[in-house]
């Protein structure tokens, strides 16, 4: 295995961790105005992710930094082509982040409801745009012979990309409902389990439609075992929903985690060795070789990653261990 392949795999692992951890953050944010009927209940919901959401964002920052350093041409083409979409995502992330702090800075009812709905909007927009971006990477975008994006904002939107956006959005909402089933008590627990039953069924339908469109409109199913892994993702989701129907929230969360893992793996497996597919001509696609940094840069980055990544993993593991208990009205902080 060369360093180009190693860094492609590492970036895939970083995005897998990000979608798994930040996925339930987005889901809780979207569910917040609907499950929390009182201010104290909404405080319980925000406290369930309050200590961990910013740590979960580290996976995204690290993945972005890895793309910039290891595959600068990928970074340049991605950020120039997806500029408006990424700017909108950044605004949503900023609004979402400050809402955790601002809602508790004033006790006014209208003030707190405002920031609750902004948390909802920031979570929904970000999750939807991530789904659209992933679908565009699989389907392909207009990239010319100079390896530069040659389209506009509306070229990023299609039936396939919007279906992918909705599928990932509902997958994250379902993930958030399962997370709340493990972190809340009494009436909030019951509502979270009810939300998981409703959103789980919608998620299954959207993921199956997305898988069908992927088979019809992309080459993912012809690239090794990527299509098989996507099928495994759908099967894990069905098993997760079956566990929800039986009241096994823990197993449902585990199977949904596998759903996200298999889904992300299928995307990167289907891309390899490409990093961005050209919809104009296949030979104009960016790959792990024509988009990569020099071998010396990759060697230095590998040494740095081997030193720093274990510390990040230990920090995240310690955080979740400290805040492992269910949240109730007696241990609120936000």
């Amino acid at each position: 295995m060369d360093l180009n392949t190693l860094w492609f795999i590492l970036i895939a692992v970083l995005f897998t961790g990000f979608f798994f951890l930040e996925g339930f953050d987005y889901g809780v944010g979207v569910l917040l105005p609907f499950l929390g009927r009182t201010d104290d209940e909404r405080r319980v919901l925000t406290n369930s992710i309050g200590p961990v959401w910013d740590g979960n964002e580290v996976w995204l920052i690290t993945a972005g930094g890895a793309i910039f350093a290891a595959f600068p041409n990928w970074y340049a083409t991605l950020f120039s082509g997806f500029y408006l979409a990424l700017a909108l995502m950044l605004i949503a992330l900023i609004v979402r982040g400050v809402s955790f702090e601002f809602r508790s800075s004033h006790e006014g009812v209208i003030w707190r409801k405002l920031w609750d709905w902004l948390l909802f909007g920031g979570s929904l927009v970000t999750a939807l745009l991530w789904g659209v971006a992933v679908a565009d990477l699989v389907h392909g975008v207009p990239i010319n012979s100079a390896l530069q994006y040659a389209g506009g904002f509306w070229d990023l939107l299609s039936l396939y990309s919007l279906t992918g956006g909705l599928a990932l959005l509902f997958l994250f909402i379902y993930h958030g409902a399962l997370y709340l089933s493990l972190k809340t008590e009494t009436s909030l627990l019951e509502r979270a389990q009810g939300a998981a039953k409703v959103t789980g069924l919608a998620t299954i339908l959207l993921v199956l439609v997305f898988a069908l469109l992927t088979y019809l409109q992309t080459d993912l199913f012809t690239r090794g075992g990527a299509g098989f892994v996507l099928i495994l993702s759908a099967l894990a989701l069905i098993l997760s929903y079956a566990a929800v129907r039986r009241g096994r929230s823990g197993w449902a969360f585990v199977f949904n985690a596998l759903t996200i893992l298999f889904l992300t793996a299928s995307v990167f497996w289907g891309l390899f060795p490409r990093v961005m597919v050209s919809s104009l001509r296949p030979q104009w696609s960016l790959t792990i070789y024509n988009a990569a940094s020099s071998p010396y840069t990759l060697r230095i980055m590998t040494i740095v990653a081997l030193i720093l990544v274990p510390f990040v993993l230990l920090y995240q593991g310690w955080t979740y261990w400290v805040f492992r208990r269910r949240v109730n009205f007696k241990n609120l902080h936000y």
Side-chain angles (χ1 to χ4, degrees):
M1 181 187 299
D2 56 25
L3 291 179
N4 302 64
T5 304
L6 176 64
W7 274 95
F8 179 83
I9 294 174
L10 178 59
I11 290 170
V13 171
L14 290 171
F15 273 107
T16 301
F18 172 70
F19 287 143
F20 166 62
L21 295 173
E22 194 67 12
F24 60 71
D25 280 359
Y26 294 148
V28 172
V30 174
L31 291 170
L32 175 66
F34 306 103
L35 298 187
R37 297 176 180 175
T38 66
D39 181 65
D40 281 343
E41 288 182 344
R42 288 189 289 274
R43 288 180 66 199
V44 168
L45 296 178
T46 54
N47 272 256
S48 70
I49 58 175
V52 297
W53 74 269
D54 49 353
N56 295 341
E57 295 282 358
V58 170
W59 290 78
L60 174 61
I61 297 171
T62 306
I67 293 175
F68 173 77
F71 304 105
N73 289 338
W74 179 13
Y75 185 92
T77 304
L78 178 68
F79 276 74
S80 62
F82 290 43
Y83 183 81
L84 289 178
L86 291 174
L88 180 60
M89 182 184 293
L90 179 60
I91 293 172
L93 284 172
I94 292 173
V95 170
R96 181 177 179 273
V98 299
S99 66
F100 286 98
E101 303 297 333
F102 280 20
R103 82 172 306 275
S104 299
S105 64
H106 192 275
E107 296 184 358
V109 175
I110 296 178
W111 173 266
R112 292 195 170 187
K113 284 188 176 180
L114 169 64
W115 289 106
D116 288 340
W117 280 105
L118 288 174
L119 175 58
F120 160 81
S123 300
L124 186 146
V125 169
T126 308
L128 180 66
L129 290 177
W130 270 120
V132 171
V134 169
D136 280 329
L137 289 177
V138 174
H139 184 269
V141 293
I143 298 174
N144 60 25
S145 59
L147 305 182
Q148 296 176 349
Y149 184 77
F153 174 77
W154 298 109
D155 292 307
L156 302 176
L157 301 178
S158 63
L159 174 63
Y160 180 75
S161 64
L162 291 175
T163 303
L166 289 174
L168 197 63
L169 169 62
F170 273 84
L171 181 61
F172 286 165
I173 296 174
Y174 177 57
H175 200 38
L178 294 176
Y179 176 79
L180 291 174
S181 299
L182 302 176
K183 293 292 292 183
T184 57
E185 299 176 347
T186 59
S187 58
L188 276 176
L189 171 60
E190 295 175 359
R191 285 179 222 150
Q193 291 173 333
K197 293 177 181 178
V198 174
T199 58
L201 183 58
T203 303
I204 290 174
L205 294 175
L206 285 168
V207 168
L208 291 177
V209 171
F210 179 67
L212 176 61
L213 290 177
T214 299
Y215 175 77
L216 294 174
Q217 299 188 21
T218 74
D219 63 355
L220 187 143
F221 277 87
T222 65
R223 303 186 66 83
F228 176 71
V229 177
L230 183 59
I231 294 174
L232 287 180
S233 176
L235 290 176
L237 179 59
I238 293 172
L239 289 174
S240 174
Y241 187 68
V244 165
R245 300 297 301 181
R246 295 183 179 182
R248 304 278 185 96
S249 298
W251 280 109
F253 186 82
V254 170
F255 280 120
N256 198 57
L258 291 175
T259 300
I260 296 173
L261 187 153
F262 288 140
L263 180 61
T264 311
S266 70
V267 169
F268 280 90
W269 194 333
L271 282 174
F272 185 81
R274 306 166 299 179
V275 291
M276 288 188 73
V277 179
S278 174
S279 60
L280 301 179
R281 290 189 180 181
Q283 60 267 32
W284 292 345
S285 298
L286 275 73
T287 70
I288 61 173
Y289 299 106
N290 63 19
S293 294
S294 66
Y296 178 76
T297 300
L298 294 178
R299 284 197 298 270
I300 295 299
M301 287 177 55
T302 303
I303 295 172
V304 173
L306 289 175
I307 296 173
L308 297 181
V309 169
F311 288 99
V312 175
L313 295 176
L314 288 172
Y315 162 77
Q316 287 248 284
W318 175 80
T319 302
Y320 277 95
W321 174 256
V322 170
F323 295 100
R324 66 189 182 277
R325 295 183 178 86
R326 291 181 181 267
V327 182
N328 54 49
F329 298 118
K330 297 179 181 180
N331 54 11
L332 297 178
H333 301 285
Y334 294 90

